[in-house]
């Protein structure tokens, strides 16, 4: 079933998809749109979404008891187990369906698990990998703001080199995080039966299409969404989309998908902008840019980005029509 | 008493797995860990052979086992898992969440020493580490009780006045791997006894969406904890009711405290789990020698049966408590609980604390006899922890 923008416009003219107003996320935060884009796609395509959330910004600011910003079934369990929790929910669904105990067996359920980068790249990676390996039919979405923002901007496996964080700050002696961001998308793509994609709220149509693909994929899906934290990225609260767009245009956040090993770049940037443009727009790199070794670190990052882009192009060519299974 | 139709010599693990097969839960998520492993192996075989149609989730860790079971139970399924020792410790965080979310999960635990150094044999340090987690703890003496309690636990957990998860503790190896004769109930009888799951606010009732596991700040958290405390208070009443019904189908009647030859006893020993059987045997021997001795085995450790204990221990000469776990820097957990219960008695018996059997160390009749003899000689010191079977 192909989704078109009119479907969304009509369906959600006067209705919130899953997450409603009244949550307490920071103004300008990209995360609610990540959830909203995913859930509105599901609902527009006739799915009934059920959502699991890892502990994090989205979780704490949308469910402050006795209030909730969710008008769909929602479960939070702990930090590192959103994937395991939703695998339990999804399994219960199959069990209850089989045994005729589902309240409404005619509904088409869609199971989503959401986590931030801390709960996904780091502490939750094991449970995510396990759930994907077991083949639960669910969509895991990481909203990647490149740090532990809920606890105040600490380093995560998704933090890029030179970014200011409180647990690996840029100081007089040390240049902050030295390591590159963990390439989680590739780790997830290496699971044998999975649909994996990167998305950005700056490219909504691409986002919707990938969610649609994930919904229709016969197996687990993993979606990585660029989700700037305006607070700790030190950008104005109307800049989340703009900065996401720049992430895509510089190749910092390439938009692509991997379906059972077949690579496809979904936004072919003709000429990548230099990553420095992306870094200079954010306050979190201000201290880095002042350092004498800034060029060294930025060049290393630039080289990585360029090579990764070339590698993606090559992978696209090499894996064309050659799915792993 | 109903006629025994199905008497078999099985391991405790097989007895528990068979109970799970008969319960036929909607979802079982489990990870193998010694000495629980045969429970999930037997159960997986039942599923593979079509003898149970449970959806199994062979998770990648115990943390995920408990997480998936929480998800499944919240979704509206009857969900179970089983574990031991370090597996239970790895679940720890979610063990609390299961109870706090009032999810009626049943989990057999093959009790084992908690590392380190690593040890795979029986003691109670794993379950004791969870004693304040909000789970009900049942303690089995043998394979029969492990089987019976697993079935009874479903009714206890799902009772509308309780809605708390239940751990069914049975000693690792001693019960889990030892072969005993077990009387099994008919499948249909168990099915009828456990009935259909009673589900509250299921996540999968999508027309009535609920938010599970919200952020609970200082304005409500305390009240929610208070509700958990209250739910625990209903356990004894419900246990007795469930036990009565269970007696009707099995002929086996369980009380909150299993009191053996206690009625006229001057010296009473208290212990959890399989050791109670060895103590019963020793009590028989000592009775033949004219000693007025008895043994109490709490069938439930959480909530702690304080009032019931007080009723049974009032007026005794001495009470000896045997613990299969230590509490470093404090009194052993069962002893501490018993001692604190007796504070309110007008005439307090003499008290003695004995720690035994850590890491699977054997407990023998002569050890138990020694502890009793200390009591006969008036040689018990309430503030002294002693050890049985320890090389010193």
């Amino acid at each position: 079933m192909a989704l078109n923008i009119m479907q969304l416009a009509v369906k959600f003219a006067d209705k919130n998809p899953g997450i409603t107003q009244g949550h307490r996320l920071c103004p300008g935060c990209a995360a609610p749109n990540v959830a909203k884009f995913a859930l509105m796609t599901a609902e527009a395509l006739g799915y009934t979404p059920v959502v699991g959330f890892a502990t994090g910004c989205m979780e704490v600011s949308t469910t402050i008891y006795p209030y909730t910003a969710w008008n769909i079934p929602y479960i939070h369990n702990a930090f590192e187990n959103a994937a395991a929790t939703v695998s339990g929910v999804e399994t219960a669904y199959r069990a209850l369906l089989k045994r005729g105990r589902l309240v409404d067996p005619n509904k088409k359920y869609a199971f989503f698990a959401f986590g931030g980068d801390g709960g996904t790249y780091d502490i939750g990676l094991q449970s995510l990998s396990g759930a994907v390996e077991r083949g639960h039919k669910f969509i895991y979405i990481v909203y990647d703001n490149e740090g532990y923002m809920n606890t105040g901007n600490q380093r995560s496996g998704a933090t890029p080199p030179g970014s200011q964080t409180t647990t690996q700050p840029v100081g007089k002696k040390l240049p902050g995080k030295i390591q590159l961001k963990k390439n989680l998308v590739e780790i997830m793509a290496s699971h044998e039966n999975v649909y994996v994609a990167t998305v950005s709220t700056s490219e909504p149509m691409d986002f919707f299409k990938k969610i649609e693909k994930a919904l229709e994929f016969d197996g687990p899906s993993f979606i990585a969404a660029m989700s700037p934290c305006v607070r700790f990225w030190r950008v104005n609260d109307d800049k989340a989309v703009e900065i996401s767009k720049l992430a895509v245009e510089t190749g910092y956040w390439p938009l692509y998908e991997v379906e059972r090993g077949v690579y496809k770049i979904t936004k072919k940037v003709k000429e990548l902008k230099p990553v420095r443009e992306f870094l200079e727009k954010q306050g979190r790199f201000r201290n880095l840019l002042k350092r004498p070794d800034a060029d060294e670190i930025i060049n290393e990052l630039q080289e990585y980005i360029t090579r990764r882009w070339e590698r993606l192009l090559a992978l696209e060519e090499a894996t064309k029509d050659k799915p792993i299974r | 008493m109903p006629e025994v139709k199905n008497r078999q010599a099985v391991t405790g693990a097989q007895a528990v797995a068979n109970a799970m097969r008969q319960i036929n839960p909607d979802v079982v998520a489990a990870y193998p860990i010694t000495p629980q492993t045969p429970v999930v192996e037997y159960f997986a075989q039942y599923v593979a052979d079509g003898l149970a149609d449970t959806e199994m989730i062979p998770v990648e860790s115990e943390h995920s086992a408990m997480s998936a079971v929480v998800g499944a139970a919240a979704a509206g399924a009857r969900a179970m898992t089983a574990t031991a020792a370090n597996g239970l410790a790895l679940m720890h965080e979610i063990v609390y969440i299961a109870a706090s979310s009032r999810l009626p999960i049943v989990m057999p635990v093959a009790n084992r020493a908690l590392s380190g150094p690593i040890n795979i044999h029986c003691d109670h340090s794993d379950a004791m580490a969870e004693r304040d987690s909000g789970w009900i703890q049942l303690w089995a003496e043998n394979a029969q009780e492990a089987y019976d309690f697993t079935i009874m636990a479903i009714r206890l957990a799902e009772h509308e006045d309780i809605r708390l998860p239940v751990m069914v503790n049975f000693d690792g190896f001693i019960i889990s791997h030892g072969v005993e004769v077990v009387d099994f109930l008919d499948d249909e009888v168990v099915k009828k006894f456990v009935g259909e799951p009673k589900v509250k606010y299921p996540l999968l009732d999508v027309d009535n969406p609920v938010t599970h596991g919200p952020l609970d700040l200082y304005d409500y958290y305390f009240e929610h904890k208070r509700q958990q405390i209250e739910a625990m208070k209903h356990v004894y009443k419900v246990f007795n009711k469930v036990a009565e019904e269970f007696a009707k189908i099995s002929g086996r009647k369980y009380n909150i405290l299993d009191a053996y030859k206690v009625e006229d006893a001057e010296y009473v020993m208290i212990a959890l789990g399989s050791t109670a059987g060895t103590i019963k045997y020793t009590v028989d021997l000592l009775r033949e020698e004219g000693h007025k001795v008895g043994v109490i085995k709490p069938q439930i450790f959480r909530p702690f049966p304080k009032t019931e204990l007080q009723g049974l221990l009032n007026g005794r000469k001495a009470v000896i408590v045997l613990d299969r776990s230590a509490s470093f820097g404090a009194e052993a957990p069962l002893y501490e609980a018993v001692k604190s219960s007796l504070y309110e008695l007008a005439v307090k018996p003499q008290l003695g604390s004995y720690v035994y059997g850590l890491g699977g160390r054997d407990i023998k009749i002569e050890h138990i006899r020694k502890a009793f003899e200390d009591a006969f000689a008036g040689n018990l010191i309430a503030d002294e922890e002693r050890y049985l079977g320890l090389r010193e």
Side-chain angles (χ1 to χ4, degrees), chain A residues 4-231:
Chain A
N4 66 61
I5 200 80
M6 276 311 290
Q7 266 175 295
L8 295 175
V10 171
K11 184 146 182 109
F12 298 105
D14 54 1
K15 177 181 175 295
N16 281 296
I19 178 164
T20 72
Q21 69 273 46
H23 61 71
R24 295 134 192 237
L25 280 150
C26 303
C29 175
N33 276 346
V34 171
K36 206 172 265 189
F37 284 11
L39 298 174
M40 69 199 288
T41 308
E43 289 197 31
L45 292 172
Y47 289 88
T48 303
V50 176
V51 164
F53 240 95
T55 312
C57 299
M58 269 290 274
E59 171 263 328
V60 299
S61 46
T62 57
T63 67
I64 305 179
Y65 190 87
Y67 305 106
T68 179
W70 298 91
N71 59 17
I72 56 171
Y74 169 102
I75 182 167
H76 160 252
N77 189 345
F79 189 19
E80 66 282 57
N81 62 358
T85 306
V86 173
S87 69
V89 174
E90 185 267 346
T91 307
Y93 162 77
R94 283 186 282 115
L96 297 184
L97 187 66
K98 179 172 76 183
R99 292 181 173 185
R101 296 220 322 272
L102 208 56
V103 178
D104 190 348
N106 299 319
K107 286 214 161 70
K108 205 160 64 162
Y109 283 69
F111 298 97
F112 288 92
F114 289 87
D117 50 288
T120 309
Y121 282 69
D122 296 342
I123 197 170
L125 182 55
Q126 173 187 306
S127 82
L128 169 60
S129 174
V132 170
E133 182 267 331
R134 292 191 300 272
H136 296 278
K137 174 84 184 94
F138 78 124
I139 303 172
Y140 191 102
I141 302 180
V142 54
Y143 64 103
D144 185 357
N145 50 36
E146 307 195 322
Y148 290 79
M149 300 316 185
N150 188 38
T151 39
N153 190 26
Q154 290 83 21
R155 169 209 202 273
S156 86
T159 304
S163 168
Q164 182 71 16
T165 61
T166 55
T167 48
Q168 238 174 1
V170 180
K172 287 198 178 84
K173 191 166 174 213
L174 298 173
K177 189 182 172 185
I178 306 161
Q179 301 83 3
L180 288 165
K181 187 181 167 102
K182 186 192 284 184
N183 199 333
L184 184 61
V185 178
E186 294 301 311
I187 294 170
M188 294 318 297
S190 297
H191 291 69
E192 298 300 329
N193 182 41
V194 66
Y195 172 73
V196 169
T198 58
V199 297
S200 165
T201 48
S202 64
E203 300 288 338
M205 288 313 290
D206 179 71
F207 197 141
F208 302 150
K209 264 189 219 154
K210 283 169 177 167
I211 296 294
E212 182 177 358
K213 257 192 152 166
L215 285 162
E216 287 172 7
F217 183 76
D218 182 22
S221 301
F222 173 79
I223 309 277
M226 168 99 303
S227 184
C229 169
V230 293
R231 171 88 181 78

Side-chain angles (χ1 to χ4, degrees), chain B residues 19 39 49 69 76 83 88 122 141 231 249-250 254 271 278 339 366 378 389:
Chain B
V39 176
D49 290 339
V69 162
T83 195
L88 180 55
C122 174
E141 179 182 326
I249 61 163
S250 67
Y254 292 103
T278 319
K339 190 180 177 186
E366 59 255 39

